[in-house]
Amino acid sequence: MIAIVTSEDGQKRCKWAASVTEFIDYHDTEWGFPVGDDIRLFEKLCLESFQSGLSWRTILAKRENFRRAFMGFDFNKIADFTDADITRLLSDEGIVRHRGKIEATINNAKKAQEMVAEMGSLAAYFWRYEPSSESMNEPQTQSTSDVSKAIAKDLKKRGWKFVGPTTVYAFMQAMGLINDHAAECIIRSKAEKARQQFKRP
């Protein structure tokens, strides 16, 4: 599999990023960069859950609509959503209207509150799973890992929903728990520098 291509600007990037113009900014400034903010972590995990079975292009195009519909992904607010909110969301054409995923987001918001009460923060929970660089395979050669399976298993045990190993692995890539930029990608070194400077919780 060719994981690298030359973009229109002449720079080498991960193949998936160069496939669609709107992916470039997300790839260059977000994907693979470390995140320690709980609201952003919750948002990324929720969006990866909504992406399951769909294209990331669909989710990215609707991200601002998702943020508006889900109160900026503030899980303390989402945890209080009622049946009326579910009805509202199911009629919102700006997001993915999947009842199971909507209900899972509300459920997971409550579980996030429980996790913060126990662990101190979502960041503290997820970053404790950071794998060593020596244990990593070549970038973008897998869609799950032992770590993503372990996280998914533990989240399920804690009552979280729509967070299987593949979804969790995509979340790990997005939040910078791993640097999965291709070896020759111009962003890989930038993401790695950010990871080195990032203060783990």
Side-chain angles (χ1 to χ4, degrees):
M1 181 183 71
I2 301 175
I4 197 82
V5 295
T6 301
S7 304
E8 291 183 0
D9 61 3
Q11 302 290 345
K12 292 182 178 180
R13 287 183 173 83
C14 298
K15 183 178 180 180
W16 66 265
S19 63
V20 181
T21 303
E22 55 262 38
F23 282 176
I24 298 294
D25 183 62
Y26 174 72
H27 168 272
D28 287 5
T29 63
E30 289 188 58
W31 195 77
F33 287 80
V35 176
D37 178 79
D38 279 5
I39 299 299
R40 287 190 63 208
L41 287 170
F42 187 72
E43 173 185 317
K44 286 182 178 292
L45 186 55
C46 289
L47 292 179
E48 294 296 347
S49 297
F50 272 101
Q51 188 270 333
S52 180
L54 301 171
S55 72
W56 179 245
R57 184 179 188 179
T58 297
I59 301 302
L60 192 60
K62 294 176 178 289
R63 182 163 65 168
E64 290 306 319
N65 295 331
F66 273 109
R67 286 172 171 169
R68 172 185 50 74
F70 283 99
M71 310 290 284
F73 284 99
D74 183 336
F75 50 85
N76 289 310
K77 295 178 180 178
I78 299 172
D80 292 330
F81 277 15
T82 65
D83 288 343
D85 289 293
I86 295 176
T87 299
R88 169 179 62 82
L89 293 165
L90 286 171
S91 64
D92 190 336
E93 296 181 356
I95 66 170
V96 175
R97 294 177 291 176
H98 184 292
R99 178 180 286 275
K101 293 177 181 179
I102 290 171
E103 292 179 345
T105 301
I106 299 170
N107 169 80
N108 293 348
K110 297 174 183 177
K111 299 305 175 185
Q113 289 181 316
E114 294 174 5
M115 184 176 287
V116 170
E118 176 188 350
M119 307 292 295
S121 66
L122 300 187
Y125 172 82
F126 287 114
W127 278 99
R128 69 177 184 163
Y129 282 100
E130 182 180 12
S132 64
S133 57
E134 294 77 17
S135 68
M136 295 296 298
N137 290 341
E138 286 295 313
Q140 299 175 48
T141 58
Q142 60 192 97
S143 58
T144 65
S145 69
D146 289 342
V147 173
S148 78
K149 292 174 184 176
I151 295 175
K153 182 178 180 180
D154 190 62
L155 289 176
K156 183 177 180 181
K157 182 179 178 181
R158 292 170 179 271
W160 291 62
K161 299 179 180 179
F162 272 92
V163 284
T166 302
T167 293
V168 170
Y169 191 77
F171 168 68
M172 289 167 57
Q173 293 172 306
M175 65 161 280
L177 193 66
I178 58 176
N179 182 357
D180 223 25
H181 283 278
E184 296 181 51
C185 175
I186 61 166
I187 304 301
R188 181 174 178 83
S189 61
K190 295 179 181 179
E192 195 56 41
K193 182 178 180 180
R195 280 172 39 78
Q196 291 173 1
Q197 296 176 342
F198 178 68
K199 184 177 181 180
R200 272 67 173 169

